Amino acid sequence: MAKATTVAHVREILDAVTDPEIPVLTIAGLGILRAVELSDDGSVVVTITPTYSGCPAMSVIVEDIKSALHGAGLDRVEVRTVFTPAWTTDWMTDDAKQKIAAFGIAPPGAVGSIPATILCPQCASTETKTVSEFGSTACKALLVCSECLEPFDYFKAI
Amino acid sequence: MNTATVTTPLARYVVRLADDNLILGQRLAEYISEAPELEEDLAIGNLSLDHIGVAMHLYEYAATLGDSSTTADKLSFLRTEREFTNVLLVEQPHAGFGDVIARQFFFSAYQTLLWEALASSADTILAGISAKALKESTYHLRHAASWVVRLGDGTDESHDRMQAAIDSLWRFTGELFESDDLCAEMVISGAGTDPAALQVPWDTKVAAVLREATLTRPTDPYQATGGRTGMHTEHLGYMLAEMQWMQRTYPDMEW
């Protein structure tokens, strides 16, 4: 017997599901959680969209969503993946941007090319430069701070 | 069942697009650990992942258009060389970093135009995959073009090697813009686009970067062709042998 629930309750449970590569970032904060719906038969339908076409974290995220909801007693869960509209970093919430900055990853600016100044997440210096347009995961670029000399990740704006 | 086929025109068109991405993704993966610096190894890995991801989504879509036994994995791992319909450019091997960059530069310049056109495809699934891939290809092109300029407008040695790579791959660029009956059918249905229409904007993009890189745009009129009909260069067979041996040795195995 499936437990009765509400969309708000499901969203609350899903707030514990994070990006496996960036554990401070929830899937809602990242902007990849597109919809939560309850079917007439009582099952939960969660819709997500990939950040990058080949993001290897997607299958882990699908499993994490299922296990979080199963853990809360919701047995019938379906996770759907959609491509349209295509994900953009503009969907990342301000709260999420603050969290990743505190985690050491410079948050994305508005969509376009790499902005003229990206603040160093360690010392807040504006003297930073791009080392590589591609970083440790598909969603990040690698930068270095000229002031504190620390290398850091920048969440690419796409 | 040890074969994978798709028969409808739309499915064949989607598989063609997927083949380009899978083969280039595999080629890029071969180069990881050989780049001139660690950051470029990461970049090449990310490029490879993007292309394989796009291929996966396209094959999965194509599989839904065929008979129920076809899957994305079967399309990737159980077709022979003659059944792959990728362009010859993406299967070309690389002797060095210059070749990797030249191949990526030519191909990404083409793909940004292709995805832009297909983002408004009448087929909504294909349009969605294309709109997503466009963002990635735009990034790929910026990365590759910046290396073409850096190497071309660098030392005498880097200039010569970049020019040599551009010259040697030029003969595989014409095929990107060849139309055939399938393209024509896709244009009529509204799902696809005519590749011939992409050639002029491609040439404009490419010529501008080559100029900035102090490189010479090749004028060699000879252009190789055959990939779209399964007539490949000898390199593809060796690649597929390596890519497919696991699935062929242990049929239906999963990670």
Side-chain angles (χ1 to χ4, degrees), chain A residues 90-111:
Chain A
D90 289 348
W91 292 346
M92 192 186 286
T93 62
D94 289 340
D95 178 54
K97 286 178 185 173
Q98 284 170 13
K99 279 185 182 146
I100 64 168
F103 188 65
I105 299 170
V111 168

Side-chain angles (χ1 to χ4, degrees), chain A residues 113-157:
Chain A
S113 58
I114 292 186
T117 53
I118 295 169
L119 293 187
C120 169
Q122 309 294 343
C123 71
S125 165
T126 54
E127 299 297 311
T128 60
K129 61 183 182 200
T130 304
V131 175
S132 171
E133 291 241 23
F134 293 87
S136 54
T137 65
C139 54
K140 288 176 281 180
L142 187 64
L143 280 79
V144 68
C145 176
S146 306
E147 202 122 334
C148 71
L149 306 181
E150 285 286 331
F152 66 92
D153 278 332
Y154 165 66
F155 207 106
K156 300 187 301 211

Side-chain angles (χ1 to χ4, degrees), chain B residues 145 147-154 159 162 208-216:
Chain B
W147 271 109
V148 169
V149 172
R150 189 165 156 193
L151 295 171
D153 193 16
H159 174 90
M162 195 65 239
V209 173
L210 293 179
R211 213 167 21 247
E212 191 188 342
T214 70
L215 295 166
T216 308

Side-chain angles (χ1 to χ4, degrees), chain A residues 50-51 53 87 133 135 156, chain B residues 46 57 132 135-136 139 142:
Chain A
T51 52
S53 298
W87 176 80
E133 291 241 23
K156 300 187 301 211
Chain B
N46 277 308
H57 296 312
K132 179 133 209 78
K135 292 184 179 219
E136 292 159 10
Y139 211 85
R142 196 162 82 227

Side-chain angles (χ1 to χ4, degrees), chain B residues 216-232:
Chain B
T216 308
R217 179 189 174 285
T219 49
D220 182 358
Y222 172 72
Q223 292 292 327
T225 183
R228 295 297 189 209
T229 54
M231 301 295 285
H232 293 278

Side-chain angles (χ1 to χ4, degrees), chain B residues 12 23 31 33 38 43 50 62 70 82 144 165 168 199 202 220 245:
Chain B
R12 287 193 292 126
I23 298 304
Y31 194 70
S33 85
L38 181 61
D50 283 348
T70 302
R82 292 291 294 271
S168 80
Q199 186 150 22
W202 180 87
D220 182 358
W245 79 267

